[in-house]
Amino acid sequence: MRRSIFPGSFDPLTNGHLDIIRRSAPLFDEMIVAVLNNADKRPMFSVDERCAIIGEVLPTVDTGDCRMLVESFSGLTADFAREQKATAIVRGIRAVSDYEYELRMALMNRRLEPQIETVFLMAGEEYSYVSSTLMKQVFELGGRVAGLIPELVESKMREKLSTS
Ligand code: PNS
């Protein structure tokens, strides 16, 4: 049984995340989208909202025979991966600029849990500039983000803005 985790903040989920999920699914029997519950940050969506959005969008993604789960976690990614008996941590790389940060995290996670490998996947070039932070910023300032985030995320962001 090959189980992986795909950790991140997912605030919010983007089509770049979905691209990585689609690409990595054939490599695993099971993949847990692991949503970080980060108390330091002030997210747009609560961790429960982020999990619910991901849970609603995932069935629209072709993940073949890979069983998809969504879980939130606090603390270290390496600890969560070990607790879940995952053998791999999946991360997406969009551009060279991501590499240095991702390499440091992968090496630290390997030091913490030597038996768990980080697997990097290259995001589709059409998503090479898509990040949750950029999507929130552009959306809040009235720019178009259609095609870069799932429609459900866009409507949830609209709801958030109208109530804030
Ligand atoms: O995609 P993101 O939002 O940049 O995800 C970053 C994430 C959640 C993978 C990273 O911040 C993380 O692993 N946080 C949990 C705390 C931890 O394990 N820190 C040490 C990493 S070596």
Side-chain angles (χ1 to χ4, degrees):
M1 160 77 139
R2 298 162 305 163
R3 180 184 292 132
S4 64
I5 66 162
F6 178 36
S9 306
F10 302 103
D11 185 45
L13 179 74
T14 69
N15 286 351
H17 293 129
L18 296 181
D19 179 59
I20 294 297
I21 290 170
R22 203 177 295 114
R23 288 173 193 280
S24 52
L27 306 176
F28 301 102
D29 302 307
E30 199 170 280
M31 182 153 152
I32 302 170
V33 180
V35 182
L36 178 67
N37 191 355
N38 189 345
D40 307 340
K41 282 197 185 174
R42 293 185 67 241
M44 180 178 229
F45 294 102
S46 72
V47 72
D48 288 344
E49 286 171 326
R50 282 176 272 157
C51 287
I53 290 171
I54 296 167
E56 216 173 303
V57 174
L58 273 182
T60 67
V61 182
D62 181 9
T63 54
D65 292 333
C66 180
R67 197 163 96 95
M68 297 299 306
L69 302 163
V70 188
E71 303 258 359
S72 63
F73 76 104
S74 306
L76 289 172
T77 293
D79 285 345
F80 181 72
R82 187 194 63 248
E83 286 156 17
Q84 298 299 319
K85 300 190 169 38
T87 52
I89 296 171
V90 170
R91 292 288 292 170
I93 298 225
R94 292 164 296 193
V96 178
S97 49
D98 282 340
Y99 180 72
E100 226 176 289
Y101 167 64
E102 293 295 336
L103 177 67
R104 273 186 278 133
M105 275 209 302
L107 294 177
M108 190 66 218
N109 283 330
R110 189 159 71 187
R111 189 185 171 92
L112 293 168
E113 289 298 330
Q115 74 288 1
I116 300 175
E117 287 295 339
T118 295
V119 175
F120 290 129
L121 285 113
M122 306 308 138
E125 52 274 30
E126 63 272 42
Y127 304 115
S128 59
Y129 59 95
V130 175
S131 71
S132 299
T133 307
L134 198 63
M135 293 303 104
K136 282 186 284 196
Q137 199 180 86
V138 171
F139 185 83
E140 280 170 2
L141 296 173
R144 273 193 310 113
V145 287
L148 303 177
I149 55 174
E151 279 173 24
L152 176 74
V153 171
E154 197 174 342
S155 71
K156 295 282 181 194
M157 281 167 82
R158 198 167 298 119
E159 268 174 39
K160 278 277 165 195
L161 274 194
S162 67
T163 55
S164 66

